[in-house]
């Protein structure tokens, strides 16, 4: 009688015990062989809550965690300015990494992480989990098939709401030094990533930023508009804000030679011959964090499933750098004292 081979045991630690860590902890519990062995946070209250909820040891020092808990994989869920350094320290020890977006908070840090990932035997994923949404997957499939003809461009809108308390509760979110930016780096980055993934690699990005509603509590932007030129000549526009009165659905409309795609909570594909196709998310999440969906779980499961396979995970830092570079170029255009645009040089030859 044949038996399924036992899953490979992976020792896992979660670094950063804030809001997003709840999704990672839940997802780890769905991965065969993944064993949570430690959590880490410098905030005593969050660390105590995490150790009580998980029953594993808690650490405030990263090197001590590495030495004593000996993880095979770490999930990094910390503020943006800590991402690159913590990921690099793990990769240098041969520890694989699942890193929350963005991959870094400055270009220099991103370049350091790209180099570390290139030279490490470990794997790393950056959480652009919205690519795992079933409507987004179907949109990508239709565009890649050529059935809709050449892609002409896209228009995306992120009409969200954040309160002053959201930033006061986590002050790093509203500061250039710790957040690396505002709305674009913390919220709209997912939509920008989907736009460039669907339409094509970005080779030029320009735009403007403003702080319309939250200037009393943040120094970064709460509103932005931008235009992206893609390889092949397509162009896209993005408007995003957290100065709205409510969190309304994000929409992406892609215009092609022989039809259009409208992507939101579901996908509506309209073909030139009159056909209409709808794709919905077949699995929905529940609980206090249901609005984040189930795509985190899918990404994390996919990452673990491929840990023993050759080659980099498909959502590696170089892939994550595309949306990051678009945002950096918009910041460069809006804030003249920043470094000149290097987006075309980074991505134009891809």
């Amino acid at each position: 009688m044949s038996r399924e081979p036992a899953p490979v045991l992976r020792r896992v630690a979660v670094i950063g015990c804030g809001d997003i860590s709840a999704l990672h902890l839940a997802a780890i519990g769905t991965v065969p062989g993944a064993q949570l062995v430690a959590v880490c946070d410098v905030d005593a209250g969050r660390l105590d809550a995490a150790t009580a909820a998980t029953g594993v040891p808690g650490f405030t020092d990263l090197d001590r965690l590495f030495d004593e808990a000996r993880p095979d994989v770490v999930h990094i869920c910390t503020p943006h300015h800590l991402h690159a350094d913590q990921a690099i320290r793990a990769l240098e020890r041969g520890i694989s990494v699942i890193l929350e977006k963005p991959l870094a908070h400055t270009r220099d840090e991103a370049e350091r992480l790209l180099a570390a990932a290139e030279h490490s035997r470990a794997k790393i994923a950056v959480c652009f989990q919205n690519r795992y949404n079933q409507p987004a997957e179907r949109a990508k499939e239709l565009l890649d098939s050529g059935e809709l003809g050449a892609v002409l461009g896209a228009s995306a809108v992120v009409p969200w709401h954040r309160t002053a308390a959201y930033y006061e509760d986590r002050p790093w979110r509203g500061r250039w030094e710790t957040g690396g930016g505002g709305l674009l780096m913390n919220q709209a980055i997912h939509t920008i990533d989907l736009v460039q993934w669907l339409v094509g690699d970005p080779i030029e990005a320009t735009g403007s930023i403003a702080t319309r509603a939250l200037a009393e509590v943040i120094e970064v932007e709460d509103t932005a508009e931008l235009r992206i030129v893609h390889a092949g000549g397509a162009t896209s526009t993005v408007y995003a804000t957290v100065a709205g009165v409510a969190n309304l659905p994000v929409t992406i409309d892609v215009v092609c030679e022989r039809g259009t795609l409208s992507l939101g909570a579901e996908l509506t594909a309209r073909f030139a011959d009159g056909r209409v196709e709808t794709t919905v998310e077949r699995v929905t999440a529940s609980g206090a964090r249901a609005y984040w969906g189930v795509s985190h779980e899918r990404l994390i499961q996919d990452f673990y499933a491929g840990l023993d396979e050759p080659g980099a995970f498909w959502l590696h830092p170089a892939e994550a750098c595309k949306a990051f570079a678009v945002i950096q170029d918009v910041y460069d255009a809006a804030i003249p004292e920043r470094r000149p645009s290097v987006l075309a040089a980074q991505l134009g030859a891809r």
Side-chain angles (χ1 to χ4, degrees):
M1 181 177 178
S2 63
R3 295 182 179 180
E4 290 291 325
V8 177
L9 179 64
R10 314 285 187 186
R11 296 175 62 84
V12 183
V14 172
I15 303 167
C17 300
D19 294 342
I20 199 69
S21 68
L23 275 76
H24 288 258
L25 289 166
I28 291 164
T30 72
V31 176
Q35 178 186 9
L36 184 71
V37 296
V39 291
C40 183
D41 203 299
V42 296
D43 182 281
R46 287 198 297 268
L47 185 60
D48 287 346
T51 56
T54 62
V56 300
F59 294 84
T60 58
D61 180 82
L62 199 56
D63 288 322
R64 186 178 167 211
L65 180 150
F66 291 156
D67 291 338
E68 297 184 16
R70 297 175 289 104
D72 302 301
V73 182
V74 294
H75 293 235
I76 297 177
C77 305
T78 51
H80 296 174
H81 66 296
L82 302 175
H83 284 189
D85 181 67
Q86 291 175 338
I88 290 166
R89 290 164 68 184
L91 291 170
E92 288 177 343
R93 287 178 175 245
I95 300 168
S96 292
V97 175
I98 297 180
L99 177 64
E100 269 299 325
K101 58 76 191 167
L103 76 164
H105 75 304
T106 67
R107 270 201 178 97
D108 289 343
E109 290 292 280
E111 290 167 2
R112 288 183 59 230
L113 178 54
L114 286 167
E118 182 71 22
H119 292 98
S120 177
R121 69 180 186 273
K123 289 182 182 282
I124 177 170
V126 182
C127 286
F128 281 122
Q129 72 279 352
N130 288 353
R131 295 193 191 187
Y132 282 83
N133 293 338
Q134 286 166 315
E137 289 179 328
R138 179 55 179 159
K140 179 66 171 173
E141 183 180 82
L142 284 169
L143 293 169
D144 287 350
S145 75
E147 187 175 359
L148 291 165
V151 181
L152 304 179
S155 175
V157 180
V158 183
W160 281 358
H161 168 73
R162 291 293 185 271
T163 64
Y166 169 83
Y167 294 97
E168 290 166 346
D169 184 50
R170 301 283 194 274
W172 68 265
R173 291 169 172 158
R175 301 289 177 262
W176 288 104
E177 184 177 1
T178 49
L183 153 83
L184 289 178
M185 286 283 272
N186 207 23
Q187 285 88 25
I189 191 170
H190 286 293
T191 302
I192 293 168
D193 177 67
L194 281 182
V195 166
Q196 70 83 25
W197 183 53
L198 295 172
V199 179
D201 282 351
I203 59 172
E204 180 183 337
T206 57
S208 63
I209 62 173
T211 311
R212 303 292 187 197
L214 294 159
E216 293 184 2
V217 291
I218 64 174
E219 63 186 28
V220 294
E221 83 283 357
D222 62 20
T223 301
E225 58 81 24
L226 58 141
R227 180 178 183 268
I228 304 168
V229 179
H230 303 267
T235 60
S236 298
T237 59
V238 179
Y239 173 79
T241 188
V242 289
V245 296
N247 288 315
L248 301 177
V250 174
T251 58
I252 302 174
D253 292 292
V254 183
V255 179
C256 304
E257 287 181 320
R258 296 193 295 272
T260 61
L261 301 176
S262 296
L263 181 62
E266 61 183 37
L267 170 69
T268 301
R270 295 180 174 87
F271 300 86
D273 61 9
R275 288 179 295 135
V276 177
E277 174 189 303
T278 301
T279 303
V280 300
E281 189 70 39
R282 291 193 297 272
V283 180
T284 57
S286 60
R289 301 294 179 189
Y291 57 87
W292 271 326
V294 296
S295 51
H296 259 97
E297 182 176 296
R298 291 176 182 152
L299 184 156
I300 290 166
Q301 291 171 346
D302 195 23
F303 179 78
Y304 279 90
L307 272 177
D308 291 326
E309 296 176 0
F313 186 66
W314 75 292
L315 277 169
H316 50 78
E319 182 67 18
C321 197
K322 295 175 183 179
F324 176 82
V326 166
I327 293 168
Q328 293 301 308
D329 272 15
V330 172
Y331 287 157
D332 288 343
I335 308 170
E337 61 268 24
R338 289 173 60 93
R339 288 168 48 186
S341 169
V342 293
L343 178 58
Q346 289 177 333
L347 301 175
R350 291 183 183 275

